[in-house]
PDB file of all heavy atoms in Angstrom:
ATOM      1  N   ARG A  95     -35.708  33.234  74.802  1.00  0.00           N
ATOM      2  CA  ARG A  95     -35.749  34.171  73.543  1.00  0.00           C
ATOM      3  C   ARG A  95     -34.502  34.842  73.321  1.00  0.00           C
ATOM      4  O   ARG A  95     -33.951  34.950  72.185  1.00  0.00           O
ATOM      5  CB  ARG A  95     -36.759  35.276  73.935  1.00  0.00           C
ATOM      6  CG  ARG A  95     -36.944  36.324  72.841  1.00  0.00           C
ATOM      7  CD  ARG A  95     -37.925  37.390  73.370  1.00  0.00           C
ATOM      8  NE  ARG A  95     -37.067  38.287  74.338  1.00  0.00           N
ATOM      9  CZ  ARG A  95     -37.639  38.924  75.351  1.00  0.00           C
ATOM     10  NH1 ARG A  95     -39.038  38.619  75.607  1.00  0.00           N
ATOM     11  NH2 ARG A  95     -36.952  39.778  76.135  1.00  0.00           N
ATOM     12  N   ILE A 107     -31.144  38.861  70.671  1.00  0.00           N
ATOM     13  CA  ILE A 107     -32.141  37.797  70.399  1.00  0.00           C
ATOM     14  C   ILE A 107     -31.548  36.653  69.697  1.00  0.00           C
ATOM     15  O   ILE A 107     -30.591  36.830  68.848  1.00  0.00           O
ATOM     16  CB  ILE A 107     -33.301  38.407  69.419  1.00  0.00           C
ATOM     17  CG1 ILE A 107     -34.183  39.289  70.400  1.00  0.00           C
ATOM     18  CG2 ILE A 107     -34.086  37.366  68.805  1.00  0.00           C
ATOM     19  CD1 ILE A 107     -35.398  39.900  69.697  1.00  0.00           C
ATOM     20  N   THR A 134     -35.339  29.985  71.064  1.00  0.00           N
ATOM     21  CA  THR A 134     -36.376  30.115  70.044  1.00  0.00           C
ATOM     22  C   THR A 134     -35.745  31.011  68.911  1.00  0.00           C
ATOM     23  O   THR A 134     -35.689  32.269  69.154  1.00  0.00           O
ATOM     24  CB  THR A 134     -37.657  30.769  70.596  1.00  0.00           C
ATOM     25  OG1 THR A 134     -37.146  32.043  71.263  1.00  0.00           O
ATOM     26  CG2 THR A 134     -38.286  29.902  71.559  1.00  0.00           C
ATOM     27  N   GLN A 136     -35.003  33.504  65.891  1.00  0.00           N
ATOM     28  CA  GLN A 136     -35.669  34.760  65.426  1.00  0.00           C
ATOM     29  C   GLN A 136     -35.681  34.571  63.918  1.00  0.00           C
ATOM     30  O   GLN A 136     -36.511  35.253  63.197  1.00  0.00           O
ATOM     31  CB  GLN A 136     -35.095  35.912  65.883  1.00  0.00           C
ATOM     32  CG  GLN A 136     -35.615  37.209  65.362  1.00  0.00           C
ATOM     33  CD  GLN A 136     -36.902  37.508  65.902  1.00  0.00           C
ATOM     34  OE1 GLN A 136     -37.614  36.697  66.413  1.00  0.00           O
ATOM     35  NE2 GLN A 136     -37.450  38.864  65.789  1.00  0.00           N
ATOM     36  N   GLY A 140     -42.356  32.219  62.135  1.00  0.00           N
ATOM     37  CA  GLY A 140     -42.953  31.892  63.415  1.00  0.00           C
ATOM     38  C   GLY A 140     -43.636  30.506  63.486  1.00  0.00           C
ATOM     39  O   GLY A 140     -43.498  29.745  64.321  1.00  0.00           O
ATOM     40  N   GLU A 141     -44.298  30.204  62.395  1.00  0.00           N
ATOM     41  CA  GLU A 141     -45.054  28.874  62.266  1.00  0.00           C
ATOM     42  C   GLU A 141     -43.992  27.719  62.273  1.00  0.00           C
ATOM     43  O   GLU A 141     -44.489  26.576  62.678  1.00  0.00           O
ATOM     44  CB  GLU A 141     -45.815  28.824  60.955  1.00  0.00           C
ATOM     45  CG  GLU A 141     -46.970  29.821  60.749  1.00  0.00           C
ATOM     46  CD  GLU A 141     -46.479  31.167  60.113  1.00  0.00           C
ATOM     47  OE1 GLU A 141     -45.218  31.412  60.157  1.00  0.00           O
ATOM     48  OE2 GLU A 141     -47.359  31.775  59.670  1.00  0.00           O
ATOM     49  N   MET A 143     -41.007  27.845  63.994  1.00  0.00           N
ATOM     50  CA  MET A 143     -40.063  27.992  65.110  1.00  0.00           C
ATOM     51  C   MET A 143     -39.823  26.735  65.838  1.00  0.00           C
ATOM     52  O   MET A 143     -38.755  26.239  65.967  1.00  0.00           O
ATOM     53  CB  MET A 143     -40.497  29.194  65.996  1.00  0.00           C
ATOM     54  CG  MET A 143     -39.457  29.456  66.996  1.00  0.00           C
ATOM     55  SD  MET A 143     -39.977  30.578  68.209  1.00  0.00           S
ATOM     56  CE  MET A 143     -41.023  29.618  69.182  1.00  0.00           C
ATOM     57  N   VAL A 194     -53.466  26.555  78.932  1.00  0.00           N
ATOM     58  CA  VAL A 194     -53.443  27.922  79.476  1.00  0.00           C
ATOM     59  C   VAL A 194     -54.134  28.051  80.800  1.00  0.00           C
ATOM     60  O   VAL A 194     -55.180  27.523  81.131  1.00  0.00           O
ATOM     61  CB  VAL A 194     -54.246  28.874  78.490  1.00  0.00           C
ATOM     62  CG1 VAL A 194     -54.138  30.327  78.878  1.00  0.00           C
ATOM     63  CG2 VAL A 194     -53.717  28.760  77.032  1.00  0.00           C
ATOM     64  N   PRO A 200     -56.897  25.628  74.505  1.00  0.00           N
ATOM     65  CA  PRO A 200     -57.311  26.134  73.131  1.00  0.00           C
ATOM     66  C   PRO A 200     -57.446  24.908  72.192  1.00  0.00           C
ATOM     67  O   PRO A 200     -56.866  23.906  72.438  1.00  0.00           O
ATOM     68  CB  PRO A 200     -56.160  27.019  72.686  1.00  0.00           C
ATOM     69  CG  PRO A 200     -55.317  27.383  73.797  1.00  0.00           C
ATOM     70  CD  PRO A 200     -55.506  26.114  74.819  1.00  0.00           C
ATOM     71  N   ALA A 227     -51.863  35.804  89.680  1.00  0.00           N
ATOM     72  CA  ALA A 227     -52.387  36.340  88.442  1.00  0.00           C
ATOM     73  C   ALA A 227     -53.186  35.187  87.765  1.00  0.00           C
ATOM     74  O   ALA A 227     -54.312  35.510  87.523  1.00  0.00           O
ATOM     75  CB  ALA A 227     -51.248  36.827  87.587  1.00  0.00           C
ATOM     76  N   THR A 228     -52.700  34.211  87.335  1.00  0.00           N
ATOM     77  CA  THR A 228     -53.495  33.183  86.687  1.00  0.00           C
ATOM     78  C   THR A 228     -53.629  31.966  87.477  1.00  0.00           C
ATOM     79  O   THR A 228     -54.086  30.935  86.990  1.00  0.00           O
ATOM     80  CB  THR A 228     -52.740  32.704  85.394  1.00  0.00           C
ATOM     81  OG1 THR A 228     -51.504  32.312  85.621  1.00  0.00           O
ATOM     82  CG2 THR A 228     -52.785  33.905  84.390  1.00  0.00           C
ATOM     83  N   MET A 269     -46.379  35.483  91.340  1.00  0.00           N
ATOM     84  CA  MET A 269     -46.368  36.766  90.682  1.00  0.00           C
ATOM     85  C   MET A 269     -45.576  37.762  91.552  1.00  0.00           C
ATOM     86  O   MET A 269     -45.723  37.677  92.754  1.00  0.00           O
ATOM     87  CB  MET A 269     -47.818  37.247  90.544  1.00  0.00           C
ATOM     88  CG  MET A 269     -47.922  38.753  90.130  1.00  0.00           C
ATOM     89  SD  MET A 269     -49.538  39.374  90.156  1.00  0.00           S
ATOM     90  CE  MET A 269     -49.958  39.362  91.847  1.00  0.00           C
ATOM     91  N   PRO A 271     -45.661  40.958  92.898  1.00  0.00           N
ATOM     92  CA  PRO A 271     -46.846  41.745  93.088  1.00  0.00           C
ATOM     93  C   PRO A 271     -46.489  43.258  92.803  1.00  0.00           C
ATOM     94  O   PRO A 271     -47.352  44.020  92.550  1.00  0.00           O
ATOM     95  CB  PRO A 271     -47.188  41.697  94.676  1.00  0.00           C
ATOM     96  CG  PRO A 271     -45.910  41.135  95.171  1.00  0.00           C
ATOM     97  CD  PRO A 271     -45.137  40.374  94.247  1.00  0.00           C
ATOM     98  N   ARG A 272     -45.231  43.665  92.758  1.00  0.00           N
ATOM     99  CA  ARG A 272     -44.989  45.018  92.340  1.00  0.00           C
ATOM    100  C   ARG A 272     -44.853  45.325  90.841  1.00  0.00           C
ATOM    101  O   ARG A 272     -44.770  46.315  90.455  1.00  0.00           O
ATOM    102  CB  ARG A 272     -43.670  45.537  92.997  1.00  0.00           C
ATOM    103  CG  ARG A 272     -43.761  45.640  94.556  1.00  0.00           C
ATOM    104  CD  ARG A 272     -42.436  45.535  95.310  1.00  0.00           C
ATOM    105  NE  ARG A 272     -41.609  44.426  94.941  1.00  0.00           N
ATOM    106  CZ  ARG A 272     -40.461  44.158  95.509  1.00  0.00           C
ATOM    107  NH1 ARG A 272     -39.814  45.083  96.260  1.00  0.00           N
ATOM    108  NH2 ARG A 272     -39.745  43.073  95.183  1.00  0.00           N
ATOM    109  N   LEU A 273     -44.739  44.095  90.107  1.00  0.00           N
ATOM    110  CA  LEU A 273     -44.594  44.267  88.736  1.00  0.00           C
ATOM    111  C   LEU A 273     -45.687  43.563  87.925  1.00  0.00           C
ATOM    112  O   LEU A 273     -46.011  43.930  86.800  1.00  0.00           O
ATOM    113  CB  LEU A 273     -43.197  43.760  88.305  1.00  0.00           C
ATOM    114  CG  LEU A 273     -42.009  44.343  88.928  1.00  0.00           C
ATOM    115  CD1 LEU A 273     -40.804  43.521  88.721  1.00  0.00           C
ATOM    116  CD2 LEU A 273     -41.888  45.726  88.381  1.00  0.00           C
ATOM    117  N   GLY A 274     -46.143  42.399  88.424  1.00  0.00           N
ATOM    118  CA  GLY A 274     -47.033  41.546  87.698  1.00  0.00           C
ATOM    119  C   GLY A 274     -46.257  40.475  86.954  1.00  0.00           C
ATOM    120  O   GLY A 274     -46.886  39.610  86.262  1.00  0.00           O
ATOM    121  N   LYS A 470     -48.054  30.570  56.466  1.00  0.00           N
ATOM    122  CA  LYS A 470     -48.985  31.376  55.672  1.00  0.00           C
ATOM    123  C   LYS A 470     -48.481  32.233  54.665  1.00  0.00           C
ATOM    124  O   LYS A 470     -47.364  32.785  54.729  1.00  0.00           O
ATOM    125  CB  LYS A 470     -49.662  32.463  56.744  1.00  0.00           C
ATOM    126  CG  LYS A 470     -50.759  31.694  57.532  1.00  0.00           C
ATOM    127  CD  LYS A 470     -51.532  32.950  58.190  1.00  0.00           C
ATOM    128  CE  LYS A 470     -52.357  32.514  59.341  1.00  0.00           C
ATOM    129  NZ  LYS A 470     -52.785  33.546  60.243  1.00  0.00           N
ATOM    130  N   ARG A 472     -47.907  35.297  52.653  1.00  0.00           N
ATOM    131  CA  ARG A 472     -48.256  36.793  52.997  1.00  0.00           C
ATOM    132  C   ARG A 472     -48.222  37.687  51.784  1.00  0.00           C
ATOM    133  O   ARG A 472     -47.540  37.275  50.836  1.00  0.00           O
ATOM    134  CB  ARG A 472     -47.127  37.252  53.890  1.00  0.00           C
ATOM    135  CG  ARG A 472     -47.083  36.474  55.229  1.00  0.00           C
ATOM    136  CD  ARG A 472     -47.036  37.300  56.432  1.00  0.00           C
ATOM    137  NE  ARG A 472     -47.142  36.400  57.604  1.00  0.00           N
ATOM    138  CZ  ARG A 472     -46.243  35.606  58.147  1.00  0.00           C
ATOM    139  NH1 ARG A 472     -45.098  35.733  57.755  1.00  0.00           N
ATOM    140  NH2 ARG A 472     -46.476  34.947  59.109  1.00  0.00           N
TER     141      ARG A 472
ATOM    142  N   PHE B  54     -47.771  52.522  92.638  1.00  0.00           N
ATOM    143  CA  PHE B  54     -47.241  51.314  91.829  1.00  0.00           C
ATOM    144  C   PHE B  54     -46.158  51.562  90.999  1.00  0.00           C
ATOM    145  O   PHE B  54     -45.157  50.758  91.008  1.00  0.00           O
ATOM    146  CB  PHE B  54     -48.478  50.913  91.051  1.00  0.00           C
ATOM    147  CG  PHE B  54     -48.196  49.530  90.251  1.00  0.00           C
ATOM    148  CD1 PHE B  54     -48.223  48.292  90.960  1.00  0.00           C
ATOM    149  CD2 PHE B  54     -47.847  49.554  88.933  1.00  0.00           C
ATOM    150  CE1 PHE B  54     -47.906  47.176  90.186  1.00  0.00           C
ATOM    151  CE2 PHE B  54     -47.487  48.470  88.213  1.00  0.00           C
ATOM    152  CZ  PHE B  54     -47.587  47.204  88.897  1.00  0.00           C
ATOM    153  N   GLY B  57     -43.039  51.290  92.835  1.00  0.00           N
ATOM    154  CA  GLY B  57     -42.881  49.891  93.422  1.00  0.00           C
ATOM    155  C   GLY B  57     -43.300  49.845  94.854  1.00  0.00           C
ATOM    156  O   GLY B  57     -42.915  48.988  95.619  1.00  0.00           O
ATOM    157  N   ALA B  59     -46.791  49.964  95.620  1.00  0.00           N
ATOM    158  CA  ALA B  59     -48.146  49.353  95.685  1.00  0.00           C
ATOM    159  C   ALA B  59     -48.024  48.097  94.838  1.00  0.00           C
ATOM    160  O   ALA B  59     -47.253  48.053  94.021  1.00  0.00           O
ATOM    161  CB  ALA B  59     -49.198  50.289  95.236  1.00  0.00           C
ATOM    162  N   PHE B  60     -49.081  47.135  95.281  1.00  0.00           N
ATOM    163  CA  PHE B  60     -49.067  45.881  94.518  1.00  0.00           C
ATOM    164  C   PHE B  60     -50.017  46.010  93.400  1.00  0.00           C
ATOM    165  O   PHE B  60     -51.049  46.649  93.433  1.00  0.00           O
ATOM    166  CB  PHE B  60     -49.467  44.738  95.484  1.00  0.00           C
ATOM    167  CG  PHE B  60     -48.494  44.398  96.601  1.00  0.00           C
ATOM    168  CD1 PHE B  60     -48.911  43.765  97.807  1.00  0.00           C
ATOM    169  CD2 PHE B  60     -47.151  44.733  96.534  1.00  0.00           C
ATOM    170  CE1 PHE B  60     -47.925  43.363  98.741  1.00  0.00           C
ATOM    171  CE2 PHE B  60     -46.190  44.410  97.436  1.00  0.00           C
ATOM    172  CZ  PHE B  60     -46.636  43.668  98.537  1.00  0.00           C
ATOM    173  N   LEU B  61     -49.675  45.219  92.325  1.00  0.00           N
ATOM    174  CA  LEU B  61     -50.523  45.092  91.204  1.00  0.00           C
ATOM    175  C   LEU B  61     -52.015  44.751  91.612  1.00  0.00           C
ATOM    176  O   LEU B  61     -52.903  45.366  91.013  1.00  0.00           O
ATOM    177  CB  LEU B  61     -49.996  43.979  90.296  1.00  0.00           C
ATOM    178  CG  LEU B  61     -50.830  43.680  89.107  1.00  0.00           C
ATOM    179  CD1 LEU B  61     -51.002  44.914  88.206  1.00  0.00           C
ATOM    180  CD2 LEU B  61     -50.024  42.576  88.249  1.00  0.00           C
ATOM    181  N   PRO B  62     -52.259  43.753  92.471  1.00  0.00           N
ATOM    182  CA  PRO B  62     -53.746  43.670  92.846  1.00  0.00           C
ATOM    183  C   PRO B  62     -54.386  44.828  93.467  1.00  0.00           C
ATOM    184  O   PRO B  62     -55.578  44.958  93.249  1.00  0.00           O
ATOM    185  CB  PRO B  62     -53.620  42.464  93.898  1.00  0.00           C
ATOM    186  CG  PRO B  62     -52.335  41.804  93.635  1.00  0.00           C
ATOM    187  CD  PRO B  62     -51.389  42.824  93.213  1.00  0.00           C
ATOM    188  N   GLU B 101     -52.621  37.879  66.798  1.00  0.00           N
ATOM    189  CA  GLU B 101     -52.818  36.466  66.293  1.00  0.00           C
ATOM    190  C   GLU B 101     -51.690  35.553  66.731  1.00  0.00           C
ATOM    191  O   GLU B 101     -50.516  35.874  66.513  1.00  0.00           O
ATOM    192  CB  GLU B 101     -52.995  36.533  64.718  1.00  0.00           C
ATOM    193  CG  GLU B 101     -53.491  35.165  64.313  1.00  0.00           C
ATOM    194  CD  GLU B 101     -53.849  35.192  62.737  1.00  0.00           C
ATOM    195  OE1 GLU B 101     -53.631  36.299  62.151  1.00  0.00           O
ATOM    196  OE2 GLU B 101     -54.336  34.206  62.259  1.00  0.00           O
ATOM    197  N   GLY B 102     -52.006  34.341  66.998  1.00  0.00           N
ATOM    198  CA  GLY B 102     -50.962  33.376  67.302  1.00  0.00           C
ATOM    199  C   GLY B 102     -50.371  33.511  68.850  1.00  0.00           C
ATOM    200  O   GLY B 102     -49.552  32.637  69.070  1.00  0.00           O
ATOM    201  N   ILE B 104     -51.199  33.824  72.939  1.00  0.00           N
ATOM    202  CA  ILE B 104     -52.246  33.665  73.888  1.00  0.00           C
ATOM    203  C   ILE B 104     -51.882  34.325  75.320  1.00  0.00           C
ATOM    204  O   ILE B 104     -52.467  34.035  76.271  1.00  0.00           O
ATOM    205  CB  ILE B 104     -52.756  32.295  74.051  1.00  0.00           C
ATOM    206  CG1 ILE B 104     -51.617  31.363  74.331  1.00  0.00           C
ATOM    207  CG2 ILE B 104     -53.484  31.937  72.800  1.00  0.00           C
ATOM    208  CD1 ILE B 104     -52.053  29.950  74.695  1.00  0.00           C
ATOM    209  N   ILE B 107     -51.811  38.200  80.424  1.00  0.00           N
ATOM    210  CA  ILE B 107     -51.685  38.996  81.777  1.00  0.00           C
ATOM    211  C   ILE B 107     -51.339  40.547  81.576  1.00  0.00           C
ATOM    212  O   ILE B 107     -51.923  41.377  81.921  1.00  0.00           O
ATOM    213  CB  ILE B 107     -50.687  38.353  82.704  1.00  0.00           C
ATOM    214  CG1 ILE B 107     -51.066  36.737  82.811  1.00  0.00           C
ATOM    215  CG2 ILE B 107     -50.664  39.085  84.138  1.00  0.00           C
ATOM    216  CD1 ILE B 107     -50.053  36.101  83.575  1.00  0.00           C
ATOM    217  N   LEU B 111     -53.725  43.916  82.094  1.00  0.00           N
ATOM    218  CA  LEU B 111     -53.230  44.870  82.965  1.00  0.00           C
ATOM    219  C   LEU B 111     -53.243  46.239  82.345  1.00  0.00           C
ATOM    220  O   LEU B 111     -53.676  47.209  82.936  1.00  0.00           O
ATOM    221  CB  LEU B 111     -51.692  44.623  83.286  1.00  0.00           C
ATOM    222  CG  LEU B 111     -51.060  45.103  84.568  1.00  0.00           C
ATOM    223  CD1 LEU B 111     -51.965  44.675  85.742  1.00  0.00           C
ATOM    224  CD2 LEU B 111     -49.672  44.513  84.801  1.00  0.00           C
ATOM    225  N   THR B 154     -41.423  36.328  70.250  1.00  0.00           N
ATOM    226  CA  THR B 154     -40.679  36.948  69.115  1.00  0.00           C
ATOM    227  C   THR B 154     -41.330  36.564  67.705  1.00  0.00           C
ATOM    228  O   THR B 154     -41.256  37.290  66.805  1.00  0.00           O
ATOM    229  CB  THR B 154     -39.217  36.376  69.105  1.00  0.00           C
ATOM    230  OG1 THR B 154     -39.243  35.067  69.263  1.00  0.00           O
ATOM    231  CG2 THR B 154     -38.362  37.010  70.186  1.00  0.00           C
ATOM    232  N   THR B 155     -42.108  35.495  67.805  1.00  0.00           N
ATOM    233  CA  THR B 155     -42.694  34.925  66.549  1.00  0.00           C
ATOM    234  C   THR B 155     -43.967  35.705  66.204  1.00  0.00           C
ATOM    235  O   THR B 155     -44.405  35.593  65.168  1.00  0.00           O
ATOM    236  CB  THR B 155     -43.035  33.475  66.644  1.00  0.00           C
ATOM    237  OG1 THR B 155     -43.659  33.327  67.770  1.00  0.00           O
ATOM    238  CG2 THR B 155     -41.708  32.575  66.652  1.00  0.00           C
ATOM    239  N   MET B 157     -44.584  38.997  67.204  1.00  0.00           N
ATOM    240  CA  MET B 157     -44.299  40.424  67.036  1.00  0.00           C
ATOM    241  C   MET B 157     -44.627  40.982  65.720  1.00  0.00           C
ATOM    242  O   MET B 157     -45.131  42.079  65.575  1.00  0.00           O
ATOM    243  CB  MET B 157     -42.841  40.724  67.321  1.00  0.00           C
ATOM    244  CG  MET B 157     -42.282  40.719  68.628  1.00  0.00           C
ATOM    245  SD  MET B 157     -40.388  40.479  68.710  1.00  0.00           S
ATOM    246  CE  MET B 157     -39.841  41.971  67.845  1.00  0.00           C
ATOM    247  N   ARG B 159     -46.836  40.310  63.811  1.00  0.00           N
ATOM    248  CA  ARG B 159     -48.199  40.615  63.580  1.00  0.00           C
ATOM    249  C   ARG B 159     -48.534  42.156  63.866  1.00  0.00           C
ATOM    250  O   ARG B 159     -49.419  42.641  63.415  1.00  0.00           O
ATOM    251  CB  ARG B 159     -49.127  39.743  64.413  1.00  0.00           C
ATOM    252  CG  ARG B 159     -48.857  38.280  64.268  1.00  0.00           C
ATOM    253  CD  ARG B 159     -49.493  37.693  63.111  1.00  0.00           C
ATOM    254  NE  ARG B 159     -49.186  36.263  62.914  1.00  0.00           N
ATOM    255  CZ  ARG B 159     -49.015  35.634  61.748  1.00  0.00           C
ATOM    256  NH1 ARG B 159     -49.213  36.313  60.586  1.00  0.00           N
ATOM    257  NH2 ARG B 159     -48.672  34.498  61.806  1.00  0.00           N
ATOM    258  N   GLU B 162     -47.871  43.828  60.699  1.00  0.00           N
ATOM    259  CA  GLU B 162     -49.100  43.536  59.694  1.00  0.00           C
ATOM    260  C   GLU B 162     -50.223  44.364  59.913  1.00  0.00           C
ATOM    261  O   GLU B 162     -50.809  44.897  59.007  1.00  0.00           O
ATOM    262  CB  GLU B 162     -49.412  42.145  59.824  1.00  0.00           C
ATOM    263  CG  GLU B 162     -48.537  41.143  59.062  1.00  0.00           C
ATOM    264  CD  GLU B 162     -48.696  39.749  59.430  1.00  0.00           C
ATOM    265  OE1 GLU B 162     -49.998  39.380  59.599  1.00  0.00           O
ATOM    266  OE2 GLU B 162     -47.799  38.902  59.399  1.00  0.00           O
ATOM    267  N   ALA B 183     -43.193  41.874  76.244  1.00  0.00           N
ATOM    268  CA  ALA B 183     -41.863  41.773  76.639  1.00  0.00           C
ATOM    269  C   ALA B 183     -40.742  41.941  75.500  1.00  0.00           C
ATOM    270  O   ALA B 183     -39.769  42.496  75.765  1.00  0.00           O
ATOM    271  CB  ALA B 183     -41.771  40.524  77.423  1.00  0.00           C
ATOM    272  N   PRO B 184     -40.953  41.256  74.310  1.00  0.00           N
ATOM    273  CA  PRO B 184     -39.863  41.348  73.389  1.00  0.00           C
ATOM    274  C   PRO B 184     -39.787  42.732  72.639  1.00  0.00           C
ATOM    275  O   PRO B 184     -38.924  42.895  71.721  1.00  0.00           O
ATOM    276  CB  PRO B 184     -40.223  40.252  72.345  1.00  0.00           C
ATOM    277  CG  PRO B 184     -41.594  39.926  72.480  1.00  0.00           C
ATOM    278  CD  PRO B 184     -41.997  40.449  73.819  1.00  0.00           C
TER     279      PRO B 184
END
Side-chain angles (χ1 to χ4, degrees):
Chain A
R95 181 186 77 214
I107 285 185
T134 52
Q136 173 74 341
E141 297 90 335
M143 185 187 77
V194 181
T228 54
M269 171 183 69
R272 293 163 299 183
L273 302 168
K470 277 194 195 160
R472 299 221 170 84
Chain B
F54 183 77
F60 290 162
L61 175 59
E101 186 174 6
I104 55 175
I107 306 170
L111 200 57
T154 46
T155 51
M157 282 160 65
R159 304 284 178 209
E162 281 169 28

